[in-house]
Amino acid sequence: MSETTGSGGDGVRADGGPGVSLRRLAGAVGAEVVEGRGAARVRRVVIAEAGEELGDAAGTLVLAVGASGEACAEAAGRAGASAVAVRSGSAREAGRAGAAWGVGVIAVPGGVRWDEVAEVVRGLVAPGEVAGPQRWGDLFALAQTVATLTGGVVSVEDSAHRVLAYAGAAGQADAVRRDSVLGRNCPEPYLAYLRQEGVYRRVREGEEVVEVAERPEAGARRRLVAGVHAGNRLFGTIWVQEGSGPLAERAASVLRGAARLAGTQLLDHYYQGDAAARVPSRAELAHGLLTGRFDAAALGAHLGVRAGARVAVIAVDLREPEEGLDSLGREARQAEAMGIVSVHAAAYRRNALVTAACGQIYAMLPEPPGANPAPDGALTRWASEVVGALRRQLRTPAQAVVAGTADRLEAVPEVKLRGHAGLAVLGRTPSRAVESYEGLAGALMVRGVLGLVAGRPEVRFPAVGALVAQDAEQGTELARSLLAHLDAFGDVAGAAKGLSVHPNTLRYRLRRVVELTGLDLEDPEQRLAAALQLRISLGELPGQSPPFPG
């Protein structure tokens, strides 16, 4: 049994750290996850012959060389291994055994040699010993986001055509992509074809997303490619290969945005810098601009945004449930959501900034110099695309508010507050995915008035307060019936339908309200005061959380 250990490929030590996810390992070698959670962690790889004793295999991926997949999965389970890799032909039996023993199972295609699989996995779990693409974790996250949004198989290459990161359904990768990942470089015959067709010339010239036609004789499916530029220089490319189905309609736009985002990482790669330190630094600067913590002009200079630029702000909330995810799960979901929003934002505006604040995500979209202000309709359509992608990919009822456009960088925090307040109001109507701040103006005004009145206990409508107290004591519904009637602007039939009662029942309740309180429903001031009092007394005042919690 041969073995490789090392520091965890996700930047965590192998001696007890979480290691590399099984899904990532499977994608790297062109395999499919058959059984077990793709998030299961692997810290080392061993090659096991038939009948070989594994010993303590905690955190191990076992390569079943010449062994029965079912028997190997059982042996791996007995030894406490994380996962086992088998040939596709024995994947079904191995999957059943893996399920019984709690072992992940991945199916490796027959055309991939076991020594190639072991080498690639070693490069991921021990990047210091085997030079591999795992060093560029941010590129892997970006590649996964692109794969998610396009439905394709993605790879990121540097200017020397070396593969730095990859993502997508491994079983849908064509021969060229598999050879590129396993060989860490694009096959030379395919490179020659790309040069001959002028593909690299076109991606060098600008931001064009170039389509490369399918070539069945070369084992290459249809592709899209975009260049990653820093200034006038091409530092690499991002490819998305068509899998078993067509690419998403907006695949080209997604790829263009991803290419813009990848510039920082590839620039650091070229100069052997630290991309992992630089990217969070940019996110922190964006957070400072959003919250007004530092001088806006200085931050803008660092971020490449003119001090006098107009900046549109869109606020996004994933609306994650309070239960069902631990803190680590929520962080992972938000990181994935940040990637999706960032790709869309970069595709829409070159200098777009995306950051998190108050548990929400904010996109800041600077307008290009000399451009006409973007109409609210265009920003709303963009926000709708983003929320649609989040709802599809994360299965979360995300919502967004187009907070407005700051006429200068210093005004961004003020516009951010509008988005924060708008999301609080929009959350009361989950069916509405996107709304503008102006569209919420009425609800926000009422919210503000309620907040003021709630802080003044001496300003009350005593008769209405007594009505609410009586309902609580006797189990009646007079107060809520009155509020429904006022909200429906006197439409008894509509209010009764909302309460699921007969109109005559509502009329009776309203008569009782008048008898008990002396309320004059013909008086507009009494109607308005009653509506405000009922909202406060019935607990419909939204929580007044500070915009920047300490």
Side-chain angles (χ1 to χ4, degrees), residues 301-347:
H302 280 289
L303 294 165
V305 181
R306 296 179 301 109
R310 290 170 52 87
V311 181
V313 179
I314 288 84
V316 179
D317 197 316
L318 297 182
R319 304 300 187 197
E320 292 284 15
E322 293 296 325
E323 299 178 355
L325 285 176
D326 57 18
S327 60
L328 186 60
R330 283 192 293 272
E331 287 179 15
R333 296 260 292 182
Q334 187 177 62
E336 187 174 357
M338 287 275 288
I340 292 173
V341 177
S342 295
V343 167
H344 279 81

Side-chain angles (χ1 to χ4, degrees), residues 22 35 40-42 57 59-63 76 80-85 103-106:
L22 180 60
E35 174 60 39
R41 315 304 286 184
V42 173
T60 299
L61 170 65
V62 181
L63 307 185
S82 295
V84 60
V103 175
V105 177
I106 61 173

Side-chain angles (χ1 to χ4, degrees), residues 447-497:
R447 175 186 173 88
V449 171
L450 291 177
L452 293 173
V453 175
R456 297 280 303 278
E458 72 278 10
V459 182
R460 288 291 184 272
F461 201 151
V464 174
L467 184 68
V468 173
Q470 177 179 303
D471 276 351
E473 181 180 342
Q474 300 181 6
T476 52
E477 290 286 333
L478 297 180
R480 290 194 179 276
S481 298
L482 173 58
L483 181 59
H485 174 72
L486 294 172
D487 284 349
F489 208 63
D491 178 5
V492 173
K497 183 177 180 181

Side-chain angles (χ1 to χ4, degrees), residues 93 102 123 126 134 148 155 161 169 247-248 251 259 264 341 458 473 489 507 511 517:
E93 294 78 10
Q134 178 62 23
T148 298
S155 61
H161 315 301
L247 297 175
T264 298
V341 177
E458 72 278 10
E473 181 180 342
F489 208 63
R507 292 189 182 96
R511 287 196 298 271
T517 65

